């Protein structure tokens, strides 16, 4: 995998670049739609390519390991062939999912023991095993197994958690270096910076991870309960240490404003379920603000969802029609909203890239944050 920086905007740490993988190039900054079980909920691969203009999507090791399972994925020739997505894929290691199963998992030195949310069966994720699983899935970018502590963790817990994450990382990195992809193309492996909201732990983790020399690096354990300003502070601390010539991936973030602030602080890659999850519940993001499509105020509003927008739904469906679909509980409402929100997120990072190259990102960002946080 190669990473090239095309521009860095004055007065910020925002940068525009390009990641090259064996499944194609990714222009950064980039937002990555989340396809947890191998599909972005309610969105066809054709729509992701043509309407959303997604350049890379995510899968999740925990979910894909449990269903459809490794035998099916290996038989299909990997996730790319299984879900008909011919562009890059990143897989989360499953650490966050295991973290979220607090009542059904135990963390030990050897790895994370957990019970399946599907049938209650017992499983063990080890750092080495998670590398092997992601080799079978075939993602272009694989993530290290880590523990994701709650944002409210006290210092002692965060310290022990970080030490465990680093010990796991050393084992996972060794397995990664000892193995190769099984489908004939290269796979990268990103370690994850942890340390909760404690600056010294974050600095220690960023230094430990930087020294590995991986193709890219991730920032995890944020947007898990801590205030937004604390999240931004941790990003700044970490990005002072992470190498400038490698892509930086902020995991699980977030709102349009979060994304713009992260880009301002030197983040290149982001993902979040918010555009699709919130879209399925009637929340639409536009460049002029946020709309609740169940509100009666849209009942006779025949203007496009985003009058200044370019997403395909803006050309076909009015606010009144989409509200009608939601109050009628039509499945099409969720599909339209998901595609619209994803298209907006990809437009937003594309515009950020354009303004970084033009040199006026800071001014544009400040104006855009006012717009995208407004409730319509």
């Amino acid at each position: 995998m190669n990473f090239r920086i095309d521009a860095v905007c004055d007065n910020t740490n925002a940068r525009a670049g390009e990641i090259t993988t064996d499944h194609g190039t990714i222009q950064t900054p980039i937002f990555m739609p989340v396809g947890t079980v191998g599909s972005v909920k309610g969105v066809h691969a054709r729509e992701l390519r043509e309407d959303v203009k997604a350049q890379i999507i995510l899968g999740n090791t925990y979910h894909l390991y449990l269903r459809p399972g490794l035998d099916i994925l290996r038989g299909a020739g990997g996730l790319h062939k299984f879900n008909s997505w011919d562009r890059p894929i990143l897989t989360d290691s499953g650490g966050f999912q295991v973290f979220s199963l607090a009542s059904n998992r135990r963390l030990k030195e050897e790895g994370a023991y957990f019970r399946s949310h599907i049938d209650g069966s017992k499983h063990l994720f080890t750092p080495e095993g998670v590398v092997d699983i992601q080799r079978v899935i075939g993602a272009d970018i694989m993530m290290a197994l880590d523990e994701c502590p709650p944002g409210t963790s006290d210092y002692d817990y965060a310290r022990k958690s970080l030490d465990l994450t680093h010990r796991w990382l050393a084992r996972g990195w060794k397995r990664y270096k000892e193995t190769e992809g099984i489908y004939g193309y290269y796979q990268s492996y990103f370690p994850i910076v942890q340390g909760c909201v404690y600056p010294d732990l974050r600095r220690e983790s960023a230094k430990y991870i930087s020294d590995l020399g991986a193709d890219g690096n991730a920032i995890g354990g944020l947007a898990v309960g801590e205030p937004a300003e604390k999240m931004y502070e941790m990003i700044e601390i970490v990005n002072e240490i992470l190498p400038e010539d490698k892509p930086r991936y902020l995991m699980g973030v977030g709102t349009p404003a979060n994304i713009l602030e992260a880009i301002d602080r030197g983040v290149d890659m982001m993902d979040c379920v918010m555009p699709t999850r919130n879209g399925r519940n009637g929340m639409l993001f536009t460049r002029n603000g946020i709309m609740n499509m169940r509100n009666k105020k849209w009942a006779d509003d025949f203007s496009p969802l985003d009058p200044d927008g370019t997403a395909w739904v803006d050309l076909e469906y009015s606010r009144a029609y989409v509200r009608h679909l939601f109050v009628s509980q039509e499945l099409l409402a969720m599909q339209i909203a998901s595609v619209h929100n994803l298209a907006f997120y990809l437009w937003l990072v594309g515009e950020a890239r354009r303004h970084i190259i033009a040199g006026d990102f800071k001014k544009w960002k400040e104006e855009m944050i006012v717009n995208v946080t407004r409730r319509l």
Side-chain angles (χ1 to χ4, degrees):
M1 191 188 82
N2 295 313
F3 178 56
R4 182 189 75 223
I5 297 176
D6 297 322
V8 179
C9 191
D10 291 341
N11 302 318
T12 78
N13 289 315
R15 69 251 196 101
E18 185 173 274
I19 299 169
T20 303
T21 76
D22 286 348
H23 279 101
T25 59
I26 306 159
Q27 291 190 324
T28 63
I30 191 65
F31 179 82
M32 304 178 286
V34 177
T36 303
V37 298
S39 71
V40 178
K41 289 188 185 299
V43 183
H44 292 288
R46 181 188 67 253
E47 293 167 332
L48 286 170
R49 285 190 292 264
E50 298 175 6
D51 303 319
V52 173
K53 297 179 173 59
Q55 300 175 48
I56 176 174
I57 63 172
L58 269 68
N60 182 262
T61 295
Y62 166 86
H63 288 280
L64 292 167
Y65 161 79
L66 292 176
R67 188 169 54 194
L70 300 186
D71 290 344
I72 296 296
L73 288 167
R74 190 189 295 271
L79 184 57
H80 288 90
K81 292 185 177 179
F82 189 58
N83 69 355
S84 299
W85 179 255
D86 58 0
R87 296 179 183 179
I89 294 175
L90 181 151
T91 42
D92 184 357
S93 69
F96 181 80
Q97 282 65 38
V98 172
F99 151 74
S100 68
L101 296 170
S103 61
N104 286 315
R105 52 90 168 158
R106 290 183 297 115
L107 303 182
K108 299 289 186 179
E109 189 65 35
E110 58 267 32
Y113 291 88
F114 63 92
R115 287 186 178 272
S116 165
H117 72 286
I118 299 170
D119 59 10
S121 56
K122 295 179 181 179
H123 302 270
L124 169 64
F125 271 0
T126 67
E128 299 87 353
V130 164
V131 170
D132 297 341
I133 293 168
Q134 290 180 94
R135 290 294 195 193
V136 174
I137 295 172
D140 299 89
I141 301 173
M142 312 186 296
M143 304 305 300
L145 181 66
D146 63 335
E147 185 194 359
C148 181
T152 55
S153 298
D154 62 33
Y155 186 88
D156 287 344
Y157 184 92
R159 169 83 267 172
K160 292 176 182 177
S161 173
L162 180 62
D163 291 343
L164 180 62
T165 287
H166 285 176
R167 292 194 298 272
W168 282 358
L169 174 58
R171 291 164 51 192
W173 179 252
K174 183 174 184 292
R175 177 60 66 92
Y176 169 72
K177 300 297 283 186
E178 293 172 345
T179 58
E180 296 181 353
I182 62 177
Y183 304 117
Y185 54 84
Y186 180 78
Q187 293 177 278
S188 294
Y189 180 83
F190 283 20
I192 303 172
V193 177
Q194 289 288 354
C196 201
V197 294
Y198 302 104
D200 62 321
L201 299 184
R202 285 286 175 179
R203 290 189 181 97
E204 177 184 333
S205 187
K207 177 64 167 60
Y208 181 87
I209 279 165
S210 298
D211 288 346
L212 288 180
D215 292 329
N217 301 291
I219 307 169
L222 295 175
V224 289
E226 80 285 353
E229 290 307 317
K230 182 61 70 172
M231 173 175 68
Y232 301 147
E233 178 190 350
M234 295 302 107
I235 294 171
E236 291 174 4
I237 287 170
V238 166
N239 281 348
E240 289 175 356
I241 298 170
L242 291 179
E244 294 181 357
D245 61 345
K246 302 292 179 66
R248 301 162 177 161
Y249 164 32
L250 178 61
M251 306 179 73
V253 177
T255 67
N258 292 157
I259 286 172
L260 293 176
E261 294 290 4
I263 292 171
D264 194 354
R265 290 161 171 81
V267 169
D268 306 296
M269 307 164 70
M270 293 137 289
D271 77 285
C272 189
V273 297
M274 184 172 286
T276 47
R277 178 178 290 171
N278 289 30
R280 294 194 302 273
N281 288 288
M283 177 183 287
L284 263 62
F285 299 97
T286 77
R287 69 198 69 195
N288 295 310
I290 303 168
M291 296 189 295
N292 180 348
M293 296 314 299
R294 290 191 174 88
N295 283 352
K296 190 173 182 179
K297 66 188 295 183
W298 311 121
D300 59 354
D301 186 339
F302 303 108
S303 61
L305 293 173
D306 188 343
D308 300 320
T310 56
W312 69 280
V313 287
D314 302 332
L315 304 176
E316 297 190 32
Y317 304 115
S318 69
R319 296 174 177 183
Y321 179 63
V322 173
R323 178 189 182 273
H324 159 70
L325 294 177
F326 270 108
V327 298
S328 301
Q329 299 184 4
E330 285 290 330
L331 296 178
L332 181 58
M334 295 185 283
Q335 183 178 7
I336 291 172
S338 295
V339 173
H340 170 91
N341 282 348
L342 287 172
F344 170 73
Y345 269 58
L346 267 294
W347 172 86
L348 186 68
V349 295
E351 283 295 287
R353 176 183 170 84
R354 187 170 70 84
H355 284 281
I356 291 167
I357 293 171
D360 62 350
F361 171 79
K362 192 75 169 183
K363 179 177 182 294
W364 172 82
K365 183 210 81 171
E366 291 171 354
E367 295 171 352
M368 186 56 62
I369 284 180
V370 173
N371 292 343
V372 298
T373 56
R374 181 186 299 127
R375 293 278 176 168
L376 298 178

